[in-house]
Amino acid sequence: MAQKGRDTVKQRMGKFGEEAPACVCFNIRKAARAISQLYDDVLRPSGLRVTQFSILAVTRRLGPVTVTRLAEETVTDRTTLTRNLKVLGQQKLIRITPGLDRREREVTLTDRGGAALAQAYPFWKKIQAQVTQRLGPDRYRRLLSDLRATLALARMN
Amino acid sequence: MAQKGRDTVKQRMGKFGEEAPACVCFNIRKAARAISQLYDDVLRPSGLRVTQFSILAVTRRLGPVTVTRLAEETVTDRTTLTRNLKVLGQQKLIRITPGLDRREREVTLTDRGGAALAQAYPFWKKIQAQVTQRLGPDRYRRLLSDLRATLALARMN
DNA sequence: GAAAAGTAGGTGTATATACACTTAGTCCTC
DNA sequence: GAGGACTAAGTGTATATACACCTACTTTTC
């Protein structure tokens, strides 16, 4: 009875505590933190983090590739990738050379980078197998598919 | 015929290009980056990032809460949370006070923090509704459920 | 062919993330 | 109740992330 036409903030957000756990973003981020820690932990003996492992792997697959293309493939902001590549370049795991179009830079996996990737591979394989096994094949496929859908949705705008 | 008992690195990693897209961690991280950008973009007028929004929301729900408890709830490394809380504290959105147990620190949402949350809420609500609508209720519930399973699995060790 | 438009990439700044280590306080055991 | 075990939190350091802005180069348009 204190107010009628106008809700208080408290009322408008009355269900907020219950809604927060439903936030798609919050939940994906939580899962990302947890799963990243797991993968990083298993990859640790290799000296590569999962982010670095992923970048090297994609670079290996795409051969000499521009920064922008690599950013698209990894769904990373280009400027973020620049910083990530810097670390890998310092460790001589990749090489960055000017492209024919002199605005472009081509990223190439070095021998050293290939060796690092090969060395890390069994660790990745092990944890990946464990995770997929524990999720079960159905849920695993479903999750990847739903994540793809979420990704597509997020980039839709 | 060059080698028989021993595979080359190339052979061992022959399918690597095809396996990388199947990496659970890589895919969750990609989705997390994309969805975070979307939420951050929509939340921008409110001045809160989705990470900050989440921390404030959880703080609001749990009332005065210790740093460790908040870290558990948000599945964030405690030292990460310390840094995140520092930013929120500087903006006076939270207050950090010594606990009864003098090792502990209690985090409380300030009035200013409550107001920021209330102001950001409609933006969150809007993008959350759009995302769940586009995913569809079934896939949305399934995704949250599978993410929970992944999270549990990752923390299992 | 010069100006404008468009494209590739980097920098400055700020937040987010977490490991290894440290500090400070509490509890527990004798 | 003193000493050691345990627990809560912060720091040093490094990587990850992305926005706003900038520079350099290429293409397009007249």
Side-chain angles (χ1 to χ4, degrees), chain A residues 29 33 37 44 66-69 78-79 82-83 101 103-105:
Chain A
R29 287 177 69 91
R33 283 191 288 268
Q37 276 190 56
R44 189 151 301 132
T66 65
V67 174
T68 297
R69 173 81 198 289
R78 191 181 41 70
T79 69
T82 295
R83 306 287 156 83
D101 180 334
R103 289 171 302 185
E104 296 178 346
R105 302 222 162 194

Side-chain angles (χ1 to χ4, degrees), chain A residues 114-150:
Chain A
L117 205 44
Q119 215 238 318
Y121 180 71
F123 296 107
W124 172 81
K125 183 92 173 163
K126 183 179 131 215
I127 189 61
Q128 173 75 5
Q130 196 177 355
V131 166
T132 56
Q133 190 256 312
R134 284 187 184 172
L135 279 177
D138 290 348
R139 195 159 47 176
Y140 163 68
R141 273 192 289 273
R142 204 169 71 184
L143 177 61
L144 285 200
S145 159
D146 290 344
L147 287 171
R148 266 193 297 278
T150 307

Side-chain angles (χ1 to χ4, degrees), chain B residues 29 33 37 66-68 78-79 82-83 103 105:
Chain B
R29 287 177 68 91
R33 283 190 289 268
Q37 276 191 56
T66 65
V67 175
T68 296
R78 192 183 39 71
T79 69
T82 295
R83 307 289 156 86
R103 289 170 301 185
R105 301 224 164 195

Side-chain angles (χ1 to χ4, degrees), chain B:
Chain B
M1 308 315 162
Q3 61 276 322
K4 19 188 257 229
R6 210 145 121 252
D7 290 340
T8 62
V9 166
K10 200 99 184 183
Q11 279 178 327
R12 269 192 281 120
M13 299 188 57
K15 290 204 170 100
F16 189 72
E18 293 82 58
E19 283 179 292
C23 178
V24 176
C25 187
F26 183 47
N27 280 280
I28 294 186
R29 287 177 68 91
K30 273 198 298 189
R33 283 190 289 268
I35 203 78
S36 295
Q37 276 191 56
L38 179 62
Y39 274 71
D40 276 344
D41 192 49
V42 172
L43 283 177
R44 189 151 301 132
S46 79
L48 290 179
R49 301 188 172 204
V50 67
T51 306
Q52 303 173 330
F53 182 77
S54 301
I55 292 171
L56 293 181
V58 175
T59 303
R60 182 177 189 276
R61 177 162 58 86
L62 299 181
V65 61
T66 65
V67 175
T68 296
R69 173 80 199 288
L70 202 49
E72 280 161 6
E73 286 287 328
T74 57
V75 189
T76 307
D77 184 271
R78 192 183 39 71
T79 69
T80 297
L81 191 61
T82 295
R83 307 289 156 86
N84 292 351
L85 290 177
K86 192 175 168 226
V87 175
L88 296 173
Q90 282 168 346
Q91 297 175 5
K92 307 226 183 289
L93 303 179
I94 57 167
R95 195 181 310 114
I96 303 180
T97 52
L100 283 183
D101 180 334
R102 291 208 331 255
R103 289 170 301 185
E104 297 178 345
R105 301 224 164 195
E106 304 229 305
V107 182
T108 317
L109 196 66
T110 61
D111 288 350
R112 196 183 157 89
L117 205 44
Q119 215 238 318
Y121 180 70
F123 296 107
W124 172 80
K125 183 91 174 165
K126 182 181 131 211
I127 189 61
Q128 173 75 3
Q130 195 177 356
V131 166
T132 55
Q133 190 256 313
R134 285 189 183 169
L135 279 176
D138 290 349
R139 194 158 49 176
Y140 164 67
R141 273 192 289 273
R142 204 169 71 185
L143 177 60
L144 284 201
S145 159
D146 290 345
L147 286 172
R148 266 194 296 276
T150 307
L151 179 56
L153 180 164
R155 321 221 89 196
M156 179 175 291
N157 298 345

